[in-house]
C-alpha cells in the first residue's frame, strides 16, 4: 500500500495508544480502526485503552497491563484526535452487516484484549480478502466466541433483570421500578434499549456495579455505578410470583441440570424465585412417589 | 378465595402443557403507545423451574372446573382436585404485574370447559381483549382454543392473540376415543384447519398490501392504507401426550408430519405423560418417559430442519420405536453406512446435514469456509463440535477414516463409549443460540422457539 511517509513514520516509531471513551466504545473503536487501517498501522504497534467515566474509584484501565511491554509509552490519542491525521487515499474496508454486529458485540466482552483482537483481524482482512469468507479462521472464531458470550449476557439480562417498585415514588399511581443486576460483561448500554422499547411509560432504573441507567419517560440517562444495598427490598406483591414459580414446577420431571445450564447459579443471588429452588428439589421425589401411590 | 390461593391451584393445573413459547412476532414495541410490552421475534425465557422447563409466559387456567372427563387430565370432572376460578380482571391484573416486574413475556391462557364451549371461549377472549384494548398491552398472548367454539369467537381470538393452539391430545383417533371419550378427533382437526386458513389469509392480505402502494397527489400528505387485521402472527401449535396410550413413535411422527404439512403448524409439542395426583385407573402407573420424549423432539427437529422424512427416522426392525441409546440422526447414519464417509469438501448441503454431530450452524460455517479453501481436521476442531461422533463419518483433506472402522460391527459400541466420556448429550429444552455472526439467514433454533 502506498502510504504517506510522514504519517506512517509517526505511527511506526513507537506505540500508538488509542484511548476509547467507554469500556464498550465500539463506535470509537471503529472510527480509530478506520484511520489505523488507512495508515497500515501494525496491530502490535497499537495499544488500546478505555476510560471508566462512570465507575467510581476505578482509574482508567490499561488494556495491556498484563502485556509483555509493561508500561505503555507513546501518545494517547482519542479516536477524534486520530481523525485529524492526514490520510493517504485508500479503499475503505467493507464488512457484512452480520460481521459488523459480531464485532460490536465482541467489544462488549470483558476480555482485556478484545479491541486488539478485533483490530488484528481487520488488519489481516485488509491484506487478505479471502479471510472475509473464512468462518473458521482462528481469530474470527475467537471474536465470535466473545460475541456469543456477550450476546448471551445481553439476552440473560433481558430475561433475569427483576424490577421492584420503590415505595414513596408514586406518580400518577405508578411507582418507580428499580432493578439490581451484575452483568459479567460491559453490556448495560447494549441491553437497555430493549427495556426502553418495552417499558416506555414506566419510570425505571437498572443499577449495576459499573454504571446505571435510568429512564425518565423521555430519555435514557447513564449514571454512576451502584451497590446492592441501594436496590429496593422485596415488596408484598413478589409473593405472587414466588407462588407461581412453586406451582408451575412439575416434581415428576425433576431436571436440575437442564435448569442450571440455562439459569446458572451466578444469576441466582439476584433472582427472587431462586430461594425456592433447594426446597422444591428436595421435596420432588417424595411428591412424585405419593402421586404414583395414590 | 384470595388471588394467591387461586394462582396456586390454577398454575398447578396448567403445568402439564409443555408449550411456553413466546416467539414469532416481529418488531412490536410500546414506543408511542399508552401501555407496555414488546415482542422482538426471539422468545425470552425469564426463568427456569427445577424441571428444566423455561418460564416465559404466565401459564394458567381461567378455571379448572370442567364438564369433560379426559382420563389423562388432572382437571377431569371425576378428579377430586381442589377447584378455583379466576375472574377476567384478576388474570389481567396478574399478567400486568408480572410483566412489569420483567418476570414474563406474556400470558398463556387455557381453561377447563364450563357451561359450554362457547361460554368458556368467550371468557378467554375477554381476557385477551381487555389486555389489548383496555391496557394497550403489547406483550405476548397465547390462547388455548376450544375446538367446537363458534367461528366468530375463533376469529376474535386470533385478532388478540399472538399464538393459538388446539391440543390434539393423543397421537391417534383411537387413543383419543379411549382416553377422552367426549373429545372428537375430526372436530379437532377441522378447528386446526380453520385456524390455519385464517392465518394464511391474514398473511396473504399483508403481502398483497405490501405489494400495492397508494399514489398520492403531489404536495398532499402521504396516505397509508389501514393495516389488514392481524391473525395469530405467532402461528398455531399443538401438543401430544406421549406414553399414556400405546401409540408407537412411528405413529406419533406420522401424525406430526401430517400436522406440519397439512395445517402449517409452527410447533408440535410432545409431553411425556406425567403422573398426576388422583390419577384415573385406566392410566399406566409409571414415571414419565422423559428420554422417549427427548428423542421425539430430536426426531421432530430432523423433520423440520434437516430434511428427513418421518418414515426415514424410525428404522426398520425397531418395532416402530426410536433408539433410546442413540440420537435419531446417529442411529440413522449407523443404519446407512453406505453413504459415508461424507466428504466435507465436496458433499452438498443436504448431505452435510445428515452427518451425525453437525448442526445447521456448523454446516453453514463449513459451506462458507470451503468456498475459500479446502477443509482440514483443524477446521473441524475450530467448530467446537462433538468430534467423537463426527469423525467416524467424515473425510477431510488431511483425514481419511478407514473403511473397515466404518463398517465394523463394533462401531455402535465404540461411539457410545466415546460419547459417554464426551459432550453431555441431554440438551433437553430451552437451548438457545443467539443469532449473530455469519448466520444472518438462519432462523432461531431452539426447542421451545
Amino acid at each position: 500500500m502506498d502510504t504517506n511517509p510522514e504519517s506512517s513514520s509517526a505511527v511506526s516509531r513507537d506505540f500508538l495508544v488509542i484511548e476509547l471513551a467507554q469500556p464498550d466504545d465500539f463506535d470509537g473503536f471503529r472510527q480509530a480502526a478506520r484511520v489505523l487501517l488507512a495508515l497500515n498501522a501494525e496491530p502490535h504497534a497499537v495499544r488500546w485503552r478505555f476510560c471508566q467515566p462512570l465507575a467510581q474509584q476505578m482509574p482508567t484501565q490499561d488494556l495491556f497491563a498484563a502485556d509483555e511491554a509493561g508500561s505503555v509509552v507513546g501518545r494517547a490519542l482519542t479516536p477524534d484526535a486520530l481523525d485529524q491525521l492526514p490520510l493517504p487515499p485508500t479503499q475503505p474496508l467493507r464488512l457484512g452487516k452480520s460481521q459488523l454486529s459480531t464485532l460490536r458485540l465482541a467489544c462488549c466482552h470483558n476480555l482485556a484484549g478484545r479491541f486488539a483482537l478485533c483490530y488484528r483481524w481487520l488488519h489481516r482482512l485488509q491484506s487478505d480478502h479471502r479471510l472475509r469468507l473464512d468462518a473458521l479462521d482462528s481469530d474470527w472464531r475467537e471474536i465470535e466466541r466473545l460475541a456469543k458470550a456477550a450476546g448471551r449476557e445481553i439476552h440473560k439480562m433481558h430475561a433475569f433483570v427483576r424490577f421492584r417498585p420503590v415505595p414513596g415514588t408514586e406518580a400518577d399511581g405508578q411507582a418507580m421500578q428499580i432493578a439490581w443486576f451484575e452483568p459479567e460483561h460491559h453490556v448495560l448500554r447494549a441491553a437497555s434499549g430493549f427495556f426502553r422499547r418495552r417499558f416506555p411509560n414506566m419510570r425505571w432504573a437498572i443499577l449495576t456495579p459499573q454504571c446505571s441507567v435510568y429512564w425518565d419517560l423521555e430519555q435514557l440517562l447513564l449514571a454512576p455505578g451502584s451497590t446492592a444495598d441501594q436496590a429496593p427490598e422485596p415488596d408484598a406483591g413478589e409473593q405472587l410470583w414466588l407462588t407461581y414459580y412453586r406451582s408451575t414446577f412439575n416434581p415428576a420431571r425433576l431436571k436440575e441440570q437442564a435448569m442450571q445450564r440455562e439459569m446458572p447459579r451466578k444469576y441466582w443471588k439476584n433472582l427472587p424465585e431462586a430461594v425456592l429452588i433447594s426446597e422444591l428439589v428436595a421435596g420432588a421425589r417424595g411428591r412424585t412417589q405419593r402421586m404414583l401411590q395414590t | 378465595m384470595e388471588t394467591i390461593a387461586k394462582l396456586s391451584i390454577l398454575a398447578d393445573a396448567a403445568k402439564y402443557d409443555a408449550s411456553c413459547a413466546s416467539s414469532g412476532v416481529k418488531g412490536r414495541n410500546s414506543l408511542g403507545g399508552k401501555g407496555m410490552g414488546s415482542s422482538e421475534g426471539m422468545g425470552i425465557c425469564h426463568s427456569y423451574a427445577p424441571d428444566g422447563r423455561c418460564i416465559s409466559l404466565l401459564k394458567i387456567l381461567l378455571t379448572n372446573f370442567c364438564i369433560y372427563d379426559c382420563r389423562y387430565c388432572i382437571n377431569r370432572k371425576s378428579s377430586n382436585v381442589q377447584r378455583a376460578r379466576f375472574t377476567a380482571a384478576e388474570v389481567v391484573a396478574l399478567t400486568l404485574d408480572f410483566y412489569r416486574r420483567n418476570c414474563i413475556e406474556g400470558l398463556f391462557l387455557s381453561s377447563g370447559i364450563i357451561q359450554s364451549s362457547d361460554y368458556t371461549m368467550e371468557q378467554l377472549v375477554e381476557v385477551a381483549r381487555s389486555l389489548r384494548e383496555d391496557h394497550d398491552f403489547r406483550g405476548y398472548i397465547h390462547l388455548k382454543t376450544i375446538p367446537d367454539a363458534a367461528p366468530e369467537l375463533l376469529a376474535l381470538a386470533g385478532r388478540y392473540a399472538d399464538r393459538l393452539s388446539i391440543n390434539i391430545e393423543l397421537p391417534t383417533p383411537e387413543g383419543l376415543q379411549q382416553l377422552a371419550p367426549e373429545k372428537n378427533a375430526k372436530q379437532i382437526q377441522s378447528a386446526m384447519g380453520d385456524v390455519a386458513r385464517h392465518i394464511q389469509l391474514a398473511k396473504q392480505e399483508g403481502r398483497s398490501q405490501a405489494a400495492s402502494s397508494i399514489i398520492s397527489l403531489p404536495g398532499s400528505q402521504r396516505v397509508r392504507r389501514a393495516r389488514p387485521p392481524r391473525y395469530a402472527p405467532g402461528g398455531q401449535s399443538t401438543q401430544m401426550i406421549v406414553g399414556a396410550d400405546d401409540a408407537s413413535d412411528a405413529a406419533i411422527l406420522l401424525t406430526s408430519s401430517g400436522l406440519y404439512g397439512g395445517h402449517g403448524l409452527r410447533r408440535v409439542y410432545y409431553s411425556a405423560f406425567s403422573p398426576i395426583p388422583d390419577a384415573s385407573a385406566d392410566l399406566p402407573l409409571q414415571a414419565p418417559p422423559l428420554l422417549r420424549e427427548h428423542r421425539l423432539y430430536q426426531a421432530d427437529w430432523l423433520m423440520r430442519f434437516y430434511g428427513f422424512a418421518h418414515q426415514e427416522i424410525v428404522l426398520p426392525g425397531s418395532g416402530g420405536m426410536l433408539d433410546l441409546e442413540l440420537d435419531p440422526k446417529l442411529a440413522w447414519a449407523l443404519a446407512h453406512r453406505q453413504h459415508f464417509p461424507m466428504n466435507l469438501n465436496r458433499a452438498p448441503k443436504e448431505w452435510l446435514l445428515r452427518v451425525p454431530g453437525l448442526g445447521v450452524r456448523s454446516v453453514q460455517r463449513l459451506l462458507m469456509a470451503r468456498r475459500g479453501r479446502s477443509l482440514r481436521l483443524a477446521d473441524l476442531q475450530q467448530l467446537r463440535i462433538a468430534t467423537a461422533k463426527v469423525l467416524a463419518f467424515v473425510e477431510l483433506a488431511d483425514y481419511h477414516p478407514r473403511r473397515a472402522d466404518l463398517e465394523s460391527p463394533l462401531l455402535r459400541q465404540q461411539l457410545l463409549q466415546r460419547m459417554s466420556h464426551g459432550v453431555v448429550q441431554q440438551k433437553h429444552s430451552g437451548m438457545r443460540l443467539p443469532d449473530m455472526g455469519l448466520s444472518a439467514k438462519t432462523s432461531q433454533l431452539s426447542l421451545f422457539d
Side-chain angles (χ1 to χ4, degrees), chain A residues 98 102 134-135 141 144 155 158-159 161-163 197-198 201 235 244-245 249-250 253 255 261-262 273, chain B residues 30 33 35 37-38 40 46-48 50-51 59 99 101-102 105 274 293 373 382 426 428 432 437:
Chain A
S98 63
T102 301
D134 197 344
R141 286 295 292 155
E144 279 196 320
H155 185 74
H158 292 163
V161 154
R162 294 284 184 268
F163 288 114
R197 295 187 292 275
R198 175 159 288 201
N201 301 310
D235 65 315
Y244 178 69
Y245 185 80
F249 163 59
N250 184 349
R253 300 183 58 108
K255 266 191 172 180
R261 193 162 43 241
E262 295 301 324
E273 63 269 29
Chain B
S30 287
S38 60
E40 305 191 346
H46 284 272
S47 193
Y48 289 81
D51 51 24
K59 181 160 53 176
Y99 200 88
R101 293 173 189 273
N102 201 43
E105 285 296 285
S274 186
E293 178 194 272
R373 60 192 170 75
Q382 283 292 350
Q426 303 283 329
H428 179 67
R432 197 171 285 284

Side-chain angles (χ1 to χ4, degrees), chain A residues 98 102 105 133-136 138 140-141 144-145 147-148 151 155-156 158-163 165 174 177 194-202 235 237-241 243-245 247-256 258-259 261-263 273 280-281 287 291-292 294, chain B residues 4 7-8 11-12 15-16 29-30 33-38 40 42-53 55 57-59 98-103 105 274-277 285-286 288 290 293 365 368-369 371 373 379 382-384 426-428 430-432 436-438:
Chain A
S98 63
T102 301
L105 271 174
L133 290 177
D134 197 344
L136 301 177
S138 61
W140 178 252
R141 286 295 292 155
E144 279 196 320
R145 190 184 68 77
K148 191 173 173 182
H155 185 74
K156 292 298 183 195
H158 292 163
F160 297 152
V161 154
R162 294 284 184 268
F163 288 114
Q174 277 258 27
Q177 306 277 333
F194 166 86
F195 294 102
R196 186 180 70 98
R197 295 187 292 275
R198 175 159 288 201
F199 301 113
N201 301 310
M202 172 173 119
D235 65 315
E238 204 165 278
Q239 278 307 319
L240 283 167
W241 170 243
T243 300
Y244 178 69
Y245 185 80
S247 305
T248 202
F249 163 59
N250 184 349
R253 300 183 58 108
L254 183 66
K255 266 191 172 180
E256 264 184 289
M259 169 189 65
R261 193 162 43 241
E262 295 301 324
M263 196 166 81
E273 63 269 29
L280 291 175
V281 170
R287 286 172 69 192
M291 282 192 279
L292 289 169
T294 51
Chain B
I4 198 159
L7 178 62
S8 153
D12 191 285
K15 74 185 174 199
Y16 300 96
N29 61 49
S30 287
K34 292 192 183 69
M36 64 184 169
S38 60
E40 305 191 346
M42 187 159 81
I44 297 176
C45 299
H46 284 272
S47 193
Y48 289 81
D51 51 24
R53 286 184 157 178
I55 301 176
L57 304 173
L58 168 61
K59 181 160 53 176
F98 285 7
Y99 200 88
R100 201 174 287 123
R101 293 173 189 273
N102 201 43
C103 291
E105 285 296 285
S274 186
I276 49 175
L285 267 181
Q286 60 186 27
L290 294 183
E293 178 194 272
R365 290 204 168 92
M368 195 157 177
R371 277 156 65 188
R373 60 192 170 75
D379 292 317
Q382 283 292 350
L383 281 175
R384 290 163 211 257
Q426 303 283 329
K427 268 190 207 160
H428 179 67
M431 181 57 192
R432 197 171 285 284
M436 60 186 63
L438 297 159

Side-chain angles (χ1 to χ4, degrees), chain A:
Chain A
M1 187 169 54
D2 213 0
T3 50
N4 179 327
E6 256 185 47
S7 56
S8 69
S9 68
V11 168
S12 61
R13 201 176 307 137
D14 42 45
F15 300 120
L16 194 64
V17 180
I18 311 296
E19 184 155 299
L20 302 174
Q22 316 260 359
D24 58 341
D25 183 13
F26 178 72
D27 294 331
F29 167 77
R30 197 174 163 185
Q31 188 185 359
R34 208 178 284 138
V35 177
L36 294 169
L37 289 171
L39 297 173
N40 198 23
E42 291 293 331
H44 59 79
V46 182
R47 304 267 147 134
W48 301 88
R49 298 202 300 195
F50 54 79
C51 304
Q52 290 270 25
L54 294 165
Q56 290 152 336
Q57 306 154 348
M58 270 176 134
T60 294
Q61 282 195 357
D62 179 2
L63 289 173
F64 276 78
D67 204 69
E68 78 289 340
S71 65
V72 171
V73 291
R75 303 163 297 162
L77 288 175
T78 63
D80 280 339
L82 202 59
D83 249 353
Q84 307 301 316
L85 291 178
L87 290 186
T90 45
Q91 279 288 321
L93 196 56
R94 291 200 183 283
L95 292 178
K97 214 175 174 180
S98 63
Q99 285 171 322
L100 205 59
S101 64
T102 301
L103 289 172
R104 180 184 290 276
L105 271 174
C107 289
C108 298
H109 198 280
N110 64 13
L111 182 84
R114 61 193 177 275
F115 294 112
L117 170 68
C118 290
Y119 179 67
R120 185 170 72 213
W121 181 76
L122 289 168
H123 189 260
R124 288 176 55 218
L125 179 61
Q126 179 164 259
S127 55
D128 182 2
H129 283 266
R130 280 178 311 174
L131 205 55
R132 184 192 307 274
L133 290 177
D134 197 344
L136 301 177
D137 172 74
S138 61
D139 277 347
W140 178 252
R141 286 295 292 155
E142 178 67 1
I143 291 170
E144 279 196 320
R145 190 184 68 77
L146 300 187
K148 191 173 173 182
R152 184 176 156 94
E153 190 70 349
I154 291 172
H155 185 74
K156 292 298 183 195
M157 189 162 171
H158 292 163
F160 297 152
V161 154
R162 294 284 184 268
F163 288 114
R164 283 172 173 160
V166 186
T169 58
E170 284 79 4
D172 301 329
Q174 277 258 27
M176 181 171 171
Q177 306 277 333
I178 292 186
W180 164 249
F181 197 76
E182 294 165 89
E184 191 178 332
H185 303 290
H186 304 282
V187 295
L188 180 65
R189 289 202 306 165
S192 46
F194 166 86
F195 294 102
R196 186 180 70 98
R197 295 187 292 275
R198 175 159 288 201
F199 301 113
N201 301 310
M202 172 173 119
R203 283 171 304 133
W204 54 265
I206 301 172
L207 316 180
T208 83
Q210 289 77 33
C211 64
S212 305
V213 62
Y214 168 51
W215 172 253
D216 69 354
L217 301 178
E218 280 173 12
Q219 56 183 330
L220 280 176
L221 303 163
L222 283 173
S226 192
T227 51
D229 56 5
Q230 288 173 281
E233 293 289 310
D235 65 315
E238 204 165 278
Q239 278 307 319
L240 283 167
W241 170 243
L242 297 188
T243 300
Y244 178 69
Y245 185 80
R246 206 181 276 123
S247 305
T248 202
F249 163 59
N250 184 349
R253 300 183 58 108
L254 183 66
K255 266 191 172 180
E256 264 184 289
Q257 277 195 325
M259 169 189 65
Q260 288 204 28
R261 193 162 43 241
E262 295 301 324
M263 196 166 81
R265 278 175 182 275
K266 67 170 180 172
Y267 296 110
W268 290 13
K269 60 179 187 291
N270 295 322
L271 285 169
E273 63 269 29
V275 301
L276 300 174
I277 292 174
S278 58
E279 152 201 338
L280 291 175
V281 170
R285 186 186 282 267
R287 286 172 69 192
T288 311
Q289 285 301 327
R290 281 195 294 282
M291 282 192 279
L292 289 169
Q293 278 157 12
T294 51

